[in-house]
Amino acid sequence: MVYAAGLDFGTSGARLVVMDEAQRLLTEVRVEFAETDRSWDVTWLQALEALLRQVEPGVRSQLDAIAINGTSATVLLCDDHGQPVTAPLLYNDDCGQACISQVASVAPAGSPARSATSSLVKLLWWGAHLSAERQGRARYFLHQADWLAAHLHGHWGRSDYHNALKLGYDVGGLAYPDWLLQLLESEGGRQWLPQVQAPGTLFGLVSTAASDRYGISRDCIVIAGTTDSIAAFLASGAQAPGDAVTSLGSTLVIKLLSHTRVEDSRYGIYSHRLGDLWLVGGASNTGGAVLRQYFTDEELASLSQQIDSDRPSPLDYYPLPRPGERFPINDPQLLPRLSPRPADPTDFLQGLLEGMARIEAQGYERLIALGATPPTRIFTAGGGAQNPAWTQIRQRWLPAPVMTAGSTEAAIGTAKLALQGYAQAQATAAIEGST
Ligand code: ADP
């Protein structure tokens, strides 16, 4: 039997699952991050330890592979031994205009590094604001997942290209691009860049120290991880070109596995690399947050049961929680369209759901128009996935069958990545052994 652990570090807590090679779930444990005044790195490390210790010793000592996913653009600077020299900056920390302008002056138009919260903007910010003493001690710029994984394998300074996308790493050329290296050469921080490898490839054998401390098998390998949203995609069951996942959470996010890479910063569209394929994504501001402005979750469930989803709504809504939209329409001023409002709340809800289904369909159309592989199956995740009336309405609008996601648990997607990485490492070892 092969046992793989996937760890998911989110914003409010962390999860661990253990799966066998048939993808059966053996263990699932969770810790919530307590509200304290400790630095985040301390909280994460305690969570790592707490998660591993909750796994039965018999399972822990037989683990073959481990991978970790983290929240994208959540980063820290550490020294040669992994000791943080700064408090981490979180995914949503905005580092101000000066560093964004520096990136915008050199990064290509579609680059995911060109956002106020990107990893690269955070690196530049540290380059400009840390004391000379701390800059001298700093050795590696790491993402949350990189740093935690290195506590298990002991090689500081390694990352994966899903986490490194917002650092400006070129996932097409598999190298840091010249514009990035030149920028950091002049602004400082080039020496902090981690080595980047493909998610799902070998980071290294678990260190003796980590094996002893956490009671993990000495033969366990640590596999390069990913970001939380890609891990959730991997958990869904989507795997072939044309497989897509729509997340109906507070916002509406679509992700489509494509033969072709699509980038368009006007619409906030960029592609993650998944082996030889591309995971193309876009996010609309519509979604459950609008529903929450009018209905409780209980009302949503009960009113939805009264919707006749085969009868199209005459209402032509564009539901938004506030003005402004990026995808599939790029218009920072776009106003929500939510009138006329019928007296019957069921009719109103149906109008909202139909409006969102139209936006979702336009989203897929936009990706196809920009060259992405057309969807053939659309898995659904998030709070809205539990709504059968919405699913039927979406089915009327969408170009492919709507399916329920196998799981949406990022830890499960990461355990799958660890299993895949383990199989690949075994195959490589077998080839090396036979030559
Ligand atoms: P997030 O993680 O983005 O906050 P979730 O995936 O937890 O979102 O989903 C929460 C959203 O799902 C809420 O905005 C809520 O309005 C919506 N939601 C909850 N129940 C239903 C339902 N039965 N039908 C449609 N939407 C729902």
Side-chain angles (χ1 to χ4, degrees):
M1 265 300 165
V2 176
Y3 294 123
L7 284 81
D8 162 42
F9 280 76
T11 48
S12 59
R15 262 174 214 251
L16 175 154
V17 302
V18 179
M19 276 178 137
D20 67 15
E21 77 237 72
Q23 303 197 355
R24 279 183 298 243
L25 203 57
L26 273 85
T27 308
E28 191 170 9
V29 292
R30 181 177 171 88
V31 293
E32 300 295 331
F33 298 148
E35 291 255 343
T36 65
D37 51 7
R38 283 188 310 243
S39 177
W40 277 105
D41 50 283
V42 178
T43 302
W44 298 335
L45 214 46
Q46 286 177 345
L48 176 71
E49 177 138 23
L51 287 175
L52 287 167
R53 290 200 185 280
Q54 283 182 62
V55 179
E56 238 180 274
V59 174
R60 222 189 307 158
S61 62
Q62 288 187 60
L63 281 180
D64 297 291
I66 300 186
I68 301 182
N69 75 259
T71 313
S72 98
T74 293
V75 293
L76 55 69
L77 270 181
C78 65
D79 69 11
D80 268 331
H81 306 289
Q83 277 299 323
V85 301
T86 59
L89 285 171
L90 299 194
Y91 69 104
N92 56 354
D93 281 330
D94 183 335
C95 292
Q97 202 49 50
C99 299
I100 305 164
S101 308
Q102 280 175 331
V103 175
S105 66
V106 289
S111 172
R114 294 169 67 113
S115 92
T117 55
S118 78
S119 307
L120 180 56
V121 165
K122 288 166 180 154
L123 190 158
L124 284 168
W125 193 85
W126 275 325
H129 293 86
L130 273 194
S131 67
E133 186 274 323
R134 285 214 231 180
Q135 294 217 14
R137 264 195 299 135
R139 179 63 190 89
Y140 296 114
F141 175 89
L142 294 178
H143 302 87
Q144 180 189 36
D146 311 333
W147 183 73
L148 286 164
H151 279 87
L152 300 178
H153 60 72
H155 307 284
W156 302 98
R158 296 187 184 176
S159 186
D160 67 82
Y161 61 55
H162 289 165
N163 273 295
L165 188 76
K166 290 182 183 167
L167 184 52
Y169 186 79
D170 173 8
V171 289
L174 295 178
Y176 287 110
D178 288 341
W179 63 261
L180 170 65
L181 295 174
Q182 282 159 14
L183 175 67
L184 297 182
E185 195 66 55
S186 67
E187 298 304 323
R190 179 172 169 165
Q191 71 283 10
W192 297 336
L193 288 175
Q195 273 177 32
V196 179
Q197 58 188 80
T201 57
L202 182 67
F203 263 156
L205 193 63
V206 74
S207 68
T208 314
S211 162
D212 291 348
R213 175 165 187 155
Y214 301 119
I216 304 169
S217 156
R218 288 263 154 109
D219 298 325
C220 180
I221 55 176
V222 184
I223 297 294
T226 181
T227 61
D228 52 0
S229 60
I230 297 186
F233 181 88
L234 298 175
S236 70
Q239 51 191 342
D243 282 353
V245 174
T246 299
S247 299
L248 301 172
S250 306
T251 59
L252 188 154
V253 181
I254 68 179
K255 287 200 167 70
L256 171 61
L257 205 49
S258 168
H259 285 291
T260 41
R261 181 180 187 177
V262 177
E263 320 257 88
D264 195 321
S265 54
R266 287 172 305 162
Y267 298 105
I269 299 170
Y270 58 85
S271 296
H272 273 286
R273 185 174 184 151
L274 266 188
D276 297 331
L277 300 173
W278 297 93
L279 186 55
V280 185
S284 164
N285 292 339
T286 196
V290 186
L291 299 176
R292 279 250 160 99
Q293 289 179 336
Y294 300 99
F295 303 104
T296 64
D297 287 0
E298 293 68 36
E299 286 167 339
L300 283 175
S302 66
L303 290 172
S304 296
Q305 284 178 6
Q306 296 167 36
I307 291 176
D308 177 2
S309 38
D310 294 329
R311 181 183 55 89
S313 164
L315 299 164
D316 180 29
Y317 290 165
Y318 199 106
L320 291 171
R322 64 193 72 84
E325 175 68 310
R326 182 85 183 268
F327 172 84
I329 297 170
N330 174 26
D331 179 357
Q333 262 55 270
L334 187 73
L335 294 174
R337 197 167 62 237
L338 291 168
S339 62
R341 182 166 171 178
D344 182 347
T346 307
D347 291 341
F348 180 51
L349 175 59
Q350 183 174 1
L352 292 170
L353 298 180
E354 294 249 10
M356 290 195 237
R358 266 195 308 270
I359 294 170
E360 184 185 352
Q362 276 174 29
Y364 283 110
E365 278 162 26
R366 173 75 65 202
L367 297 187
I368 297 166
L370 290 168
T373 304
T376 45
R377 300 193 290 180
I378 299 175
F379 294 90
T380 316
Q386 308 146 17
N387 187 323
W390 196 358
T391 305
Q392 281 175 30
I393 292 170
R394 292 169 58 227
Q395 194 58 82
R396 260 200 279 115
W397 286 98
L398 294 175
V402 177
M403 345 261 296
T404 310
S407 162
T408 54
E409 183 56 67
I412 289 185
T414 303
K416 286 186 179 182
L417 193 66
L419 280 173
Q420 197 188 309
Y422 180 80
Q424 210 172 59
Q426 291 293 98
T428 310
I431 291 167
E432 282 169 0
S434 69
T435 53

